[in-house]
Amino acid sequence: GTGSNILSALQDLFWLLKSKAEKQLQIISVLQWVLTFLIMGIACTLILMYILCTDCWAIAALYLAWLVFDWNTPKKGGRRSQWVRNWAIWRYFRDYFPIRLVKTHNLLTTRNYIFGYHPHGIMGLGAFCNFSTEATGISQKFPGIRPYLATLAGNFRMPILRDYLMSGGICPVNRDSIDYILSKNGNGNAIIIVVGGAAESLNCTPGKNSVTLKNRKGFVKLALRHGADLVPVYSFGENEVYKQVIFEEGSWGRWVQKKFQKHIGFAPCIFHGRGLFSSTTWGLLPYSKPITTVVGEPITIPKIDNPSQKDVDFYHSIYVDSLIKLFDKYKSKFGLPETEVLEVN
């Protein structure tokens, strides 16, 4: 009767309010990460400089002293925090898109690994969510494997930001850091390198599956020097979450981007997503498109202290073939037509 109808209406209202609250939390979780990616390093540097000029200068001085003492920690595996990696905010971050991690093969804890992550996208959202948090269950899917997402070393010169990144298991993408993790940190380590880097980000756009890989062989040489197995990883949907203005080769815009890439390490992109309050307006929030990250079959790599160029070229070709096969095997399962071809540049 009437009581039953009222109860049903209240249940519907509760579900609607809960659904709206969860959506808002998802938006907040993604927004804080986007702002972290774009401005946290500069903002924290400016705030620290300001505090030095106030009566609270001692706090900033103490942190700077700690920074000097702790300067080399990022090069030695960092300082990850399982508490931070398990924050509830990352689950809201995951569900906004949603992001999913697909395991295809087991990984031995007696080996070390270098994951090649493709494509870069604008911000590497899938790479961060899958490997720097526990939101998609990487520790359950690959028990005993410690993931380290490698990013620009310059980020670790920024106060506060460096500590935030390290808490998620993020490390500098330089030789010292990778050598330490693969040679002095035991077994069961997996370093995730976004192989295409800034150059690849310049060409990412919805509907395009393209990777910058032909002349990217340094990660293969590192794998050979340490006997670390190579694992191809492809994120379907990574290029769909932002729209970008693509400058043609030879244009002034591409010239500026390449100059930044060469001297600073990153390439400025003109991109947009959706607005904060409406999906029909432009803004910094990515579009809520699904991202599915598929971890492929590991390629067994021998340990060669001084690999020749022939060795590097041979295993690089095997890696490229494995990545293409991984893409072709799963493309139709994640919304792409069978005729879609992975472009390798």
Side-chain angles (χ1 to χ4, degrees), residues 265-308:
F266 74 93
C269 302
I270 299 177
F271 66 92
H272 74 83
R274 54 155 289 183
L276 181 59
F277 301 107
S278 172
S279 60
T280 59
T281 58
W282 289 10
L284 288 176
L285 277 178
Y287 293 105
S288 52
K289 304 287 186 179
I291 299 174
T292 305
T293 303
V294 184
V295 180
E297 182 178 4
I299 303 165
T300 302
I301 302 294
K303 188 176 187 303
I304 305 174
D305 291 334
N306 294 296
S308 65

Side-chain angles (χ1 to χ4, degrees), residues 67 222 254 300 332:
L67 192 63
L222 280 169
R254 183 53 64 98
T300 302
S332 62

Side-chain angles (χ1 to χ4, degrees), residues 121-162:
I122 295 292
M123 296 186 185
L125 293 159
F128 171 79
C129 185
N130 286 306
F131 302 113
S132 294
T133 80
E134 295 295 331
T136 56
I138 187 169
S139 293
Q140 288 72 45
K141 288 182 171 70
F142 300 102
I145 300 298
R146 292 181 298 277
Y148 293 86
L149 177 60
T151 189
L152 290 175
N155 288 324
F156 296 89
R157 301 186 187 104
M158 301 285 191
I160 311 300
L161 175 63
R162 67 190 291 277

Side-chain angles (χ1 to χ4, degrees), residues 12 17 22 41 115 227 306 332:
D12 290 343
L17 291 174
E22 286 186 350
F115 287 18
N306 294 296
S332 62

Side-chain angles (χ1 to χ4, degrees), residues 5-292:
N5 290 336
I6 293 174
L7 181 59
S8 178
L10 288 174
Q11 288 175 338
D12 290 343
L13 178 61
F14 174 76
W15 179 87
L16 181 62
L17 291 174
K18 182 181 178 182
S19 178
K20 286 186 175 180
E22 286 186 350
K23 188 61 180 176
Q24 292 305 313
L25 287 170
Q26 291 170 12
I27 289 173
I28 291 169
S29 69
V30 175
L31 179 62
Q32 68 83 26
W33 190 85
V34 170
L35 293 177
T36 296
F37 183 91
L38 294 176
I39 66 171
M40 183 176 178
I42 295 174
C44 288
T45 301
L46 292 175
I47 291 170
L48 196 67
M49 291 172 63
Y50 171 75
I51 294 174
L52 279 171
C53 301
T54 69
D55 293 339
C56 298
W57 63 269
I59 296 173
L62 283 172
Y63 178 80
L64 289 173
W66 161 254
L67 192 63
V68 172
F69 174 78
D70 195 55
W71 190 253
N72 288 323
T73 298
K75 298 178 183 179
K76 297 180 179 180
R79 186 169 49 247
R80 75 174 55 218
S81 166
Q82 285 302 115
W83 176 64
V84 173
R85 288 174 60 88
N86 280 290
W87 276 355
I89 196 171
W90 306 132
R91 295 193 289 276
Y92 290 112
F93 182 96
R94 172 199 66 197
D95 293 339
Y96 173 85
F97 297 94
I99 296 174
R100 179 185 171 204
L101 181 65
V102 176
K103 170 185 175 180
T104 63
H105 291 78
N106 292 324
L107 298 181
L108 299 175
T109 57
T110 55
R111 301 285 292 174
N112 283 325
Y113 300 90
I114 293 179
F115 287 18
Y117 183 91
H118 313 268
H120 183 286
I122 295 292
M123 296 186 185
L125 293 159
F128 171 79
C129 185
N130 286 306
F131 302 113
S132 294
T133 80
E134 295 295 331
T136 56
I138 187 169
S139 293
Q140 288 72 45
K141 288 182 171 70
F142 300 102
I145 300 298
R146 292 181 298 277
Y148 293 86
L149 177 60
T151 189
L152 290 175
N155 288 324
F156 296 89
R157 301 186 187 104
M158 301 285 191
I160 311 300
L161 175 63
R162 67 190 291 277
D163 302 288
Y164 189 37
L165 295 178
M166 283 194 292
S167 68
I170 300 177
C171 68
V173 62
N174 58 31
R175 181 169 172 174
D176 289 344
S177 176
I178 294 172
D179 282 347
Y180 183 91
I181 293 170
L182 295 180
S183 63
K184 298 179 181 179
N185 202 41
N187 295 321
N189 302 292
I191 297 179
I192 298 89
I193 299 177
V194 186
V195 178
E200 190 172 86
S201 70
L202 298 179
N203 294 313
C204 72
T205 187
K208 185 173 185 179
N209 288 283
S210 171
V211 297
T212 301
L213 183 57
K214 281 184 179 179
N215 296 316
R216 300 295 176 105
K217 300 180 180 181
F219 73 106
V220 178
K221 189 172 184 178
L222 280 169
L224 285 165
R225 288 181 61 245
H226 293 284
D229 293 348
L230 289 171
V231 182
V233 179
Y234 197 85
S235 254
F236 294 90
E238 184 72 63
N239 285 345
E240 308 299 316
V241 297
Y242 279 111
K243 295 179 181 179
Q244 179 183 190
V245 177
I246 304 292
F247 293 102
E248 297 294 330
E249 290 292 340
S251 66
W252 67 270
R254 183 53 64 98
W255 180 83
V256 170
Q257 288 176 323
K258 287 188 173 181
K259 286 294 182 182
F260 265 83
Q261 178 190 338
K262 180 179 179 181
H263 297 292
I264 301 178
F266 74 93
C269 302
I270 299 177
F271 66 92
H272 74 83
R274 54 155 289 183
L276 181 59
F277 301 107
S278 172
S279 60
T280 59
T281 58
W282 289 10
L284 288 176
L285 277 178
Y287 293 105
S288 52
K289 304 287 186 179
I291 299 174
T292 305

